[in-house]
Amino acid sequence: IEAKTALERLERLEMIQRNTTGKWRKTADRWVARSEVPNSALRTFHAQMLKKAIDSLEEQTPQEKVIGSETLAFDSSQLTEASRIIDECFERIVRLSKSPSPNSVYHLGIQFFRIFKNNFKNNKEVRHEN
Protein backbone atom coordinates (compact mmCIF):
# COMPACT_ATOMS: atom_id res chain seq x y z
CA ILE A 1 0.00 0.00 0.00
CA GLU A 2 2.84 2.40 0.91
CA ALA A 3 4.65 1.71 -2.36
CA LYS A 4 1.47 2.19 -4.39
CA THR A 5 0.73 5.46 -2.58
CA ALA A 6 4.30 6.65 -3.16
CA LEU A 7 4.13 5.81 -6.88
CA GLU A 8 0.80 7.63 -7.21
CA ARG A 9 2.27 10.69 -5.46
CA LEU A 10 5.38 10.67 -7.67
CA GLU A 11 3.20 10.39 -10.75
CA ARG A 12 0.92 13.23 -9.57
CA LEU A 13 4.03 15.38 -9.00
CA GLU A 14 5.16 14.45 -12.53
CA MET A 15 8.39 12.97 -11.22
CA ILE A 16 7.67 9.59 -12.83
CA GLN A 17 5.50 8.35 -15.66
CA ARG A 18 4.79 5.06 -17.38
CA ASN A 19 6.53 4.36 -20.67
CA THR A 20 4.85 2.68 -23.65
CA THR A 21 5.38 -0.78 -22.11
CA GLY A 22 3.84 0.28 -18.79
CA LYS A 23 7.10 0.47 -16.84
CA TRP A 24 7.82 3.42 -14.56
CA ARG A 25 10.52 5.87 -15.61
CA LYS A 26 11.87 9.12 -14.20
CA THR A 27 10.84 12.32 -15.93
CA ALA A 28 14.14 14.07 -15.08
CA ASP A 29 17.65 12.93 -14.25
CA ARG A 30 17.75 14.80 -10.95
CA TRP A 31 15.58 16.86 -8.62
CA VAL A 32 16.74 19.14 -5.83
CA ALA A 33 14.37 19.99 -2.99
CA ARG A 34 15.39 23.08 -1.06
CA SER A 35 13.58 25.53 1.13
CA GLU A 36 14.67 28.90 2.41
CA VAL A 37 12.11 28.61 5.22
CA PRO A 38 11.43 25.75 7.67
CA ASN A 39 9.71 22.88 5.86
CA SER A 40 8.22 19.97 7.82
CA ALA A 41 8.26 17.55 4.87
CA LEU A 42 11.97 18.14 4.26
CA ARG A 43 12.70 17.85 8.00
CA THR A 44 10.84 14.52 8.14
CA PHE A 45 12.67 13.22 5.07
CA HIS A 46 16.10 14.18 6.43
CA ALA A 47 15.29 12.71 9.86
CA GLN A 48 14.27 9.41 8.22
CA MET A 49 17.46 9.27 6.15
CA LEU A 50 19.63 10.12 9.18
CA LYS A 51 17.95 7.24 11.05
CA LYS A 52 18.84 4.94 8.16
CA ALA A 53 22.45 6.21 8.34
CA ILE A 54 22.52 5.40 12.06
CA ASP A 55 21.13 1.92 11.35
CA SER A 56 23.87 1.38 8.73
CA LEU A 57 26.50 1.80 11.45
CA GLU A 58 25.33 -1.50 12.96
CA GLU A 59 24.01 -3.30 9.89
CA GLN A 60 26.64 -2.66 7.19
CA THR A 61 30.33 -3.35 6.97
CA PRO A 62 32.85 -0.60 6.18
CA GLN A 63 33.08 -2.07 2.67
CA GLU A 64 29.36 -1.35 2.13
CA LYS A 65 29.31 2.29 3.20
CA VAL A 66 31.32 5.47 3.42
CA ILE A 67 30.79 7.40 6.64
CA GLY A 68 33.08 10.08 7.97
CA SER A 69 32.83 13.34 9.81
CA GLU A 70 34.81 16.45 10.57
CA THR A 71 34.42 18.80 13.50
CA LEU A 72 36.35 22.02 12.94
CA ALA A 73 36.46 25.72 13.61
CA PHE A 74 34.92 27.57 10.67
CA ASP A 75 34.31 31.17 9.63
CA SER A 76 30.53 31.32 9.14
CA SER A 77 30.92 34.09 6.57
CA GLN A 78 32.20 31.35 4.22
CA LEU A 79 29.03 29.25 4.49
CA THR A 80 27.91 30.21 0.98
CA GLU A 81 31.19 28.94 -0.45
CA ALA A 82 30.88 25.74 1.60
CA SER A 83 27.39 25.24 0.17
CA ARG A 84 28.75 25.67 -3.37
CA ILE A 85 31.46 23.05 -2.71
CA ILE A 86 28.89 20.62 -1.27
CA ASP A 87 26.63 21.15 -4.33
CA GLU A 88 29.63 20.34 -6.54
CA CYS A 89 30.21 17.15 -4.55
CA PHE A 90 26.57 16.11 -5.08
CA GLU A 91 26.88 16.78 -8.82
CA ARG A 92 30.05 14.69 -9.08
CA ILE A 93 28.53 11.74 -7.20
CA VAL A 94 25.38 11.95 -9.35
CA ARG A 95 27.55 11.81 -12.50
CA LEU A 96 29.42 8.84 -11.01
CA SER A 97 26.09 7.08 -10.44
CA LYS A 98 25.31 7.05 -14.16
CA SER A 99 26.78 3.55 -14.45
CA PRO A 100 25.19 1.46 -17.20
CA SER A 101 24.67 -1.40 -14.74
CA PRO A 102 23.79 -0.16 -11.23
CA ASN A 103 23.37 -2.94 -8.67
CA SER A 104 22.41 -1.10 -5.46
CA VAL A 105 20.59 1.98 -4.22
CA TYR A 106 22.56 4.40 -2.03
CA HIS A 107 21.64 7.65 -0.30
CA LEU A 108 24.10 10.55 -0.17
CA GLY A 109 23.63 12.96 2.70
CA ILE A 110 26.04 15.64 3.81
CA GLN A 111 25.48 17.55 7.01
CA PHE A 112 27.37 20.76 7.71
CA PHE A 113 25.99 22.60 10.70
CA ARG A 114 27.01 24.67 13.70
CA ILE A 115 27.32 22.56 16.86
CA PHE A 116 27.98 25.41 19.29
CA LYS A 117 25.71 28.44 19.68
CA ASN A 118 28.49 30.80 20.68
CA ASN A 119 31.31 31.91 18.44
CA PHE A 120 34.89 31.23 19.45
CA LYS A 121 38.42 31.67 18.20
CA ASN A 122 40.08 28.29 18.04
CA ASN A 123 41.50 26.58 14.97
CA LYS A 124 41.99 23.09 16.41
CA GLU A 125 40.53 20.34 14.27
CA VAL A 126 39.05 17.04 15.45
CA ARG A 127 38.60 14.27 12.91
CA HIS A 128 36.75 10.97 13.24
CA GLU A 129 36.10 8.41 10.54
CA ASN A 130 34.22 5.13 10.68
Side-chain angles (χ1 to χ4, degrees), residues 39-71:
N39 182 298
S40 63
L42 282 175
R43 279 195 308 269
T44 298
F45 170 76
H46 288 300
Q48 290 171 341
M49 297 315 291
L50 289 170
K51 168 77 168 79
K52 289 181 181 295
I54 290 168
D55 292 345
S56 79
L57 292 172
E58 298 297 328
E59 298 170 0
Q60 295 179 23
T61 67
Q63 292 76 26
E64 296 174 288
K65 66 183 183 305
V66 177
I67 294 184
S69 64
E70 296 275 344
T71 302

mmCIF file of all heavy atoms in Angstrom, residues 39-71:
data_model
loop_
_atom_site.group_PDB
_atom_site.id
_atom_site.type_symbol
_atom_site.label_atom_id
_atom_site.label_comp_id
_atom_site.label_asym_id
_atom_site.label_seq_id
_atom_site.Cartn_x
_atom_site.Cartn_y
_atom_site.Cartn_z
ATOM 1 N N ASN A 39 10.611 23.703 6.660
ATOM 2 C CA ASN A 39 9.706 22.881 5.865
ATOM 3 C C ASN A 39 9.580 21.516 6.544
ATOM 4 O O ASN A 39 10.548 20.762 6.602
ATOM 5 C CB ASN A 39 10.261 22.738 4.448
ATOM 6 C CG ASN A 39 9.365 21.947 3.548
ATOM 7 O OD1 ASN A 39 9.105 20.777 3.792
ATOM 8 N ND2 ASN A 39 8.910 22.577 2.480
ATOM 9 N N SER A 40 8.393 21.203 7.041
ATOM 10 C CA SER A 40 8.217 19.974 7.819
ATOM 11 C C SER A 40 8.441 18.719 6.981
ATOM 12 O O SER A 40 8.971 17.723 7.481
ATOM 13 C CB SER A 40 6.840 19.945 8.480
ATOM 14 O OG SER A 40 5.820 19.921 7.504
ATOM 15 N N ALA A 41 8.053 18.730 5.715
ATOM 16 C CA ALA A 41 8.255 17.551 4.871
ATOM 17 C C ALA A 41 9.747 17.277 4.671
ATOM 18 O O ALA A 41 10.187 16.122 4.759
ATOM 19 C CB ALA A 41 7.557 17.736 3.530
ATOM 20 N N LEU A 42 10.524 18.327 4.419
ATOM 21 C CA LEU A 42 11.970 18.143 4.263
ATOM 22 C C LEU A 42 12.606 17.697 5.573
ATOM 23 O O LEU A 42 13.492 16.838 5.583
ATOM 24 C CB LEU A 42 12.627 19.430 3.767
ATOM 25 C CG LEU A 42 12.470 19.723 2.282
ATOM 26 C CD1 LEU A 42 13.051 21.092 1.937
ATOM 27 C CD2 LEU A 42 13.116 18.649 1.439
ATOM 28 N N ARG A 43 12.169 18.272 6.694
ATOM 29 C CA ARG A 43 12.696 17.848 7.997
ATOM 30 C C ARG A 43 12.421 16.369 8.239
ATOM 31 O O ARG A 43 13.299 15.629 8.681
ATOM 32 C CB ARG A 43 12.094 18.683 9.133
ATOM 33 C CG ARG A 43 12.745 20.026 9.318
ATOM 34 C CD ARG A 43 12.372 20.650 10.659
ATOM 35 N NE ARG A 43 10.934 20.701 10.890
ATOM 36 C CZ ARG A 43 10.142 21.724 10.561
ATOM 37 N NH1 ARG A 43 10.646 22.781 9.991
ATOM 38 N NH2 ARG A 43 8.858 21.687 10.826
ATOM 39 N N THR A 44 11.200 15.930 7.938
ATOM 40 C CA THR A 44 10.840 14.524 8.136
ATOM 41 C C THR A 44 11.698 13.625 7.255
ATOM 42 O O THR A 44 12.223 12.600 7.708
ATOM 43 C CB THR A 44 9.342 14.315 7.832
ATOM 44 O OG1 THR A 44 8.575 15.105 8.739
ATOM 45 C CG2 THR A 44 8.957 12.848 7.962
ATOM 46 N N PHE A 45 11.848 14.003 5.990
ATOM 47 C CA PHE A 45 12.671 13.216 5.073
ATOM 48 C C PHE A 45 14.102 13.089 5.591
ATOM 49 O O PHE A 45 14.657 11.986 5.672
ATOM 50 C CB PHE A 45 12.675 13.831 3.672
ATOM 51 C CG PHE A 45 13.688 13.203 2.760
ATOM 52 C CD1 PHE A 45 13.454 11.949 2.198
ATOM 53 C CD2 PHE A 45 14.883 13.841 2.483
ATOM 54 C CE1 PHE A 45 14.396 11.354 1.374
ATOM 55 C CE2 PHE A 45 15.830 13.261 1.657
ATOM 56 C CZ PHE A 45 15.580 12.007 1.102
ATOM 57 N N HIS A 46 14.710 14.218 5.968
ATOM 58 C CA HIS A 46 16.099 14.181 6.431
ATOM 59 C C HIS A 46 16.225 13.378 7.721
ATOM 60 O O HIS A 46 17.193 12.622 7.898
ATOM 61 C CB HIS A 46 16.651 15.596 6.601
ATOM 62 C CG HIS A 46 16.899 16.289 5.294
ATOM 63 N ND1 HIS A 46 17.767 15.806 4.340
ATOM 64 C CD2 HIS A 46 16.376 17.413 4.772
ATOM 65 C CE1 HIS A 46 17.783 16.601 3.288
ATOM 66 N NE2 HIS A 46 16.933 17.594 3.528
ATOM 67 N N ALA A 47 15.262 13.491 8.623
ATOM 68 C CA ALA A 47 15.293 12.708 9.861
ATOM 69 C C ALA A 47 15.227 11.210 9.550
ATOM 70 O O ALA A 47 15.955 10.405 10.151
ATOM 71 C CB ALA A 47 14.144 13.126 10.780
ATOM 72 N N GLN A 48 14.374 10.820 8.603
ATOM 73 C CA GLN A 48 14.273 9.410 8.224
ATOM 74 C C GLN A 48 15.585 8.905 7.629
ATOM 75 O O GLN A 48 16.031 7.796 7.944
ATOM 76 C CB GLN A 48 13.138 9.209 7.223
ATOM 77 C CG GLN A 48 11.762 9.378 7.820
ATOM 78 C CD GLN A 48 10.660 9.384 6.764
ATOM 79 O OE1 GLN A 48 10.906 9.615 5.575
ATOM 80 N NE2 GLN A 48 9.436 9.141 7.204
ATOM 81 N N MET A 49 16.206 9.705 6.776
ATOM 82 C CA MET A 49 17.455 9.269 6.152
ATOM 83 C C MET A 49 18.596 9.222 7.174
ATOM 84 O O MET A 49 19.452 8.333 7.114
ATOM 85 C CB MET A 49 17.803 10.174 4.969
ATOM 86 C CG MET A 49 16.775 10.120 3.832
ATOM 87 S SD MET A 49 16.224 8.463 3.363
ATOM 88 C CE MET A 49 17.674 7.792 2.614
ATOM 89 N N LEU A 50 18.607 10.161 8.124
ATOM 90 C CA LEU A 50 19.630 10.117 9.176
ATOM 91 C C LEU A 50 19.450 8.879 10.045
ATOM 92 O O LEU A 50 20.433 8.257 10.472
ATOM 93 C CB LEU A 50 19.589 11.390 10.020
ATOM 94 C CG LEU A 50 20.096 12.644 9.305
ATOM 95 C CD1 LEU A 50 19.773 13.891 10.132
ATOM 96 C CD2 LEU A 50 21.590 12.549 9.043
ATOM 97 N N LYS A 51 18.220 8.473 10.298
ATOM 98 C CA LYS A 51 17.953 7.242 11.053
ATOM 99 C C LYS A 51 18.504 6.047 10.289
ATOM 100 O O LYS A 51 19.124 5.154 10.868
ATOM 101 C CB LYS A 51 16.443 7.102 11.290
ATOM 102 C CG LYS A 51 16.000 5.755 11.805
ATOM 103 C CD LYS A 51 16.281 5.584 13.284
ATOM 104 C CE LYS A 51 15.592 4.376 13.874
ATOM 105 N NZ LYS A 51 16.230 3.100 13.618
ATOM 106 N N LYS A 52 18.293 6.029 8.973
ATOM 107 C CA LYS A 52 18.838 4.936 8.157
ATOM 108 C C LYS A 52 20.378 4.940 8.207
ATOM 109 O O LYS A 52 21.000 3.871 8.227
ATOM 110 C CB LYS A 52 18.356 5.033 6.716
ATOM 111 C CG LYS A 52 16.870 4.703 6.564
ATOM 112 C CD LYS A 52 16.449 4.794 5.103
ATOM 113 C CE LYS A 52 14.977 4.496 4.935
ATOM 114 N NZ LYS A 52 14.605 3.143 5.269
ATOM 115 N N ALA A 53 20.989 6.124 8.230
ATOM 116 C CA ALA A 53 22.452 6.211 8.340
ATOM 117 C C ALA A 53 22.912 5.633 9.677
ATOM 118 O O ALA A 53 23.904 4.890 9.730
ATOM 119 C CB ALA A 53 22.913 7.658 8.188
ATOM 120 N N ILE A 54 22.190 5.952 10.744
ATOM 121 C CA ILE A 54 22.515 5.401 12.065
ATOM 122 C C ILE A 54 22.393 3.877 12.034
ATOM 123 O O ILE A 54 23.270 3.165 12.539
ATOM 124 C CB ILE A 54 21.612 6.020 13.148
ATOM 125 C CG1 ILE A 54 21.982 7.493 13.356
ATOM 126 C CG2 ILE A 54 21.702 5.243 14.461
ATOM 127 C CD1 ILE A 54 20.976 8.276 14.184
ATOM 128 N N ASP A 55 21.323 3.373 11.448
ATOM 129 C CA ASP A 55 21.135 1.921 11.346
ATOM 130 C C ASP A 55 22.279 1.269 10.571
ATOM 131 O O ASP A 55 22.716 0.167 10.906
ATOM 132 C CB ASP A 55 19.803 1.589 10.663
ATOM 133 C CG ASP A 55 18.595 1.976 11.499
ATOM 134 O OD1 ASP A 55 18.746 2.240 12.723
ATOM 135 O OD2 ASP A 55 17.485 2.026 10.927
ATOM 136 N N SER A 56 22.788 1.950 9.541
ATOM 137 C CA SER A 56 23.867 1.379 8.732
ATOM 138 C C SER A 56 25.150 1.187 9.542
ATOM 139 O O SER A 56 25.964 0.323 9.209
ATOM 140 C CB SER A 56 24.149 2.249 7.501
ATOM 141 O OG SER A 56 24.924 3.385 7.834
ATOM 142 N N LEU A 57 25.315 1.968 10.608
ATOM 143 C CA LEU A 57 26.499 1.797 11.452
ATOM 144 C C LEU A 57 26.549 0.400 12.052
ATOM 145 O O LEU A 57 27.629 -0.179 12.217
ATOM 146 C CB LEU A 57 26.515 2.843 12.572
ATOM 147 C CG LEU A 57 26.723 4.286 12.138
ATOM 148 C CD1 LEU A 57 26.523 5.223 13.318
ATOM 149 C CD2 LEU A 57 28.099 4.475 11.527
ATOM 150 N N GLU A 58 25.402 -0.158 12.378
ATOM 151 C CA GLU A 58 25.328 -1.498 12.960
ATOM 152 C C GLU A 58 25.131 -2.587 11.915
ATOM 153 O O GLU A 58 25.571 -3.713 12.111
ATOM 154 C CB GLU A 58 24.168 -1.568 13.968
ATOM 155 C CG GLU A 58 24.322 -0.639 15.147
ATOM 156 C CD GLU A 58 25.539 -0.965 16.014
ATOM 157 O OE1 GLU A 58 25.911 -2.158 16.109
ATOM 158 O OE2 GLU A 58 26.123 -0.025 16.573
ATOM 159 N N GLU A 59 24.462 -2.271 10.819
ATOM 160 C CA GLU A 59 24.005 -3.303 9.887
ATOM 161 C C GLU A 59 24.916 -3.504 8.680
ATOM 162 O O GLU A 59 24.801 -4.517 7.996
ATOM 163 C CB GLU A 59 22.591 -2.964 9.401
ATOM 164 C CG GLU A 59 21.572 -2.940 10.521
ATOM 165 C CD GLU A 59 20.230 -2.365 10.105
ATOM 166 O OE1 GLU A 59 20.080 -1.972 8.922
ATOM 167 O OE2 GLU A 59 19.343 -2.304 10.964
ATOM 168 N N GLN A 60 25.806 -2.544 8.379
ATOM 169 C CA GLN A 60 26.638 -2.659 7.187
ATOM 170 C C GLN A 60 28.109 -2.647 7.566
ATOM 171 O O GLN A 60 28.507 -2.009 8.534
ATOM 172 C CB GLN A 60 26.348 -1.503 6.226
ATOM 173 C CG GLN A 60 24.940 -1.521 5.677
ATOM 174 C CD GLN A 60 24.684 -0.356 4.742
ATOM 175 O OE1 GLN A 60 25.601 0.224 4.167
ATOM 176 N NE2 GLN A 60 23.410 -0.001 4.586
ATOM 177 N N THR A 61 28.882 -3.329 6.748
ATOM 178 C CA THR A 61 30.328 -3.353 6.968
ATOM 179 C C THR A 61 30.943 -2.077 6.394
ATOM 180 O O THR A 61 30.319 -1.399 5.566
ATOM 181 C CB THR A 61 30.958 -4.563 6.254
ATOM 182 O OG1 THR A 61 30.837 -4.378 4.834
ATOM 183 C CG2 THR A 61 30.296 -5.875 6.683
ATOM 184 N N PRO A 62 32.176 -1.763 6.780
ATOM 185 C CA PRO A 62 32.848 -0.598 6.184
ATOM 186 C C PRO A 62 32.985 -0.693 4.667
ATOM 187 O O PRO A 62 33.050 0.321 3.990
ATOM 188 C CB PRO A 62 34.224 -0.593 6.862
ATOM 189 C CG PRO A 62 33.988 -1.271 8.174
ATOM 190 C CD PRO A 62 32.949 -2.338 7.883
ATOM 191 N N GLN A 63 32.980 -1.908 4.125
ATOM 192 C CA GLN A 63 33.082 -2.074 2.673
ATOM 193 C C GLN A 63 31.766 -1.735 1.968
ATOM 194 O O GLN A 63 31.737 -1.548 0.763
ATOM 195 C CB GLN A 63 33.487 -3.512 2.322
ATOM 196 C CG GLN A 63 34.897 -3.886 2.741
ATOM 197 C CD GLN A 63 35.040 -4.139 4.242
ATOM 198 O OE1 GLN A 63 34.084 -4.506 4.924
ATOM 199 N NE2 GLN A 63 36.239 -3.933 4.755
ATOM 200 N N GLU A 64 30.662 -1.636 2.716
ATOM 201 C CA GLU A 64 29.358 -1.355 2.131
ATOM 202 C C GLU A 64 28.942 0.102 2.256
ATOM 203 O O GLU A 64 27.905 0.486 1.727
ATOM 204 C CB GLU A 64 28.278 -2.202 2.821
ATOM 205 C CG GLU A 64 28.444 -3.687 2.632
ATOM 206 C CD GLU A 64 27.444 -4.472 3.450
ATOM 207 O OE1 GLU A 64 27.582 -4.517 4.684
ATOM 208 O OE2 GLU A 64 26.511 -5.029 2.842
ATOM 209 N N LYS A 65 29.715 0.902 2.956
ATOM 210 C CA LYS A 65 29.306 2.286 3.197
ATOM 211 C C LYS A 65 30.527 3.175 3.308
ATOM 212 O O LYS A 65 31.637 2.711 3.495
ATOM 213 C CB LYS A 65 28.464 2.386 4.477
ATOM 214 C CG LYS A 65 29.232 2.064 5.746
ATOM 215 C CD LYS A 65 28.340 2.115 6.966
ATOM 216 C CE LYS A 65 29.049 1.879 8.256
ATOM 217 N NZ LYS A 65 29.802 0.668 8.375
ATOM 218 N N VAL A 66 30.289 4.464 3.190
ATOM 219 C CA VAL A 66 31.323 5.472 3.421
ATOM 220 C C VAL A 66 30.728 6.446 4.414
ATOM 221 O O VAL A 66 29.747 7.128 4.114
ATOM 222 C CB VAL A 66 31.704 6.219 2.119
ATOM 223 C CG1 VAL A 66 32.723 7.306 2.414
ATOM 224 C CG2 VAL A 66 32.211 5.252 1.065
ATOM 225 N N ILE A 67 31.272 6.471 5.619
ATOM 226 C CA ILE A 67 30.794 7.399 6.636
ATOM 227 C C ILE A 67 32.008 8.046 7.280
ATOM 228 O O ILE A 67 32.938 7.372 7.693
ATOM 229 C CB ILE A 67 29.927 6.691 7.703
ATOM 230 C CG1 ILE A 67 28.642 6.194 7.057
ATOM 231 C CG2 ILE A 67 29.637 7.631 8.873
ATOM 232 C CD1 ILE A 67 27.649 5.571 8.000
ATOM 233 N N GLY A 68 32.002 9.343 7.332
ATOM 234 C CA GLY A 68 33.079 10.084 7.966
ATOM 235 C C GLY A 68 32.538 11.399 8.478
ATOM 236 O O GLY A 68 31.437 11.821 8.110
ATOM 237 N N SER A 69 33.273 12.034 9.324
ATOM 238 C CA SER A 69 32.830 13.335 9.806
ATOM 239 C C SER A 69 34.028 14.189 10.172
ATOM 240 O O SER A 69 35.121 13.683 10.411
ATOM 241 C CB SER A 69 31.895 13.185 11.014
ATOM 242 O OG SER A 69 32.582 12.603 12.102
ATOM 243 N N GLU A 70 33.805 15.462 10.183
ATOM 244 C CA GLU A 70 34.808 16.450 10.570
ATOM 245 C C GLU A 70 34.160 17.419 11.550
ATOM 246 O O GLU A 70 33.033 17.858 11.314
ATOM 247 C CB GLU A 70 35.287 17.267 9.363
ATOM 248 C CG GLU A 70 35.997 16.496 8.297
ATOM 249 C CD GLU A 70 37.465 16.306 8.570
ATOM 250 O OE1 GLU A 70 38.012 17.027 9.445
ATOM 251 O OE2 GLU A 70 38.065 15.442 7.925
ATOM 252 N N THR A 71 34.846 17.727 12.607
ATOM 253 C CA THR A 71 34.422 18.805 13.497
ATOM 254 C C THR A 71 35.569 19.809 13.494
ATOM 255 O O THR A 71 36.706 19.452 13.797
ATOM 256 C CB THR A 71 34.147 18.284 14.921
ATOM 257 O OG1 THR A 71 33.145 17.268 14.847
ATOM 258 C CG2 THR A 71 33.679 19.403 15.829
#
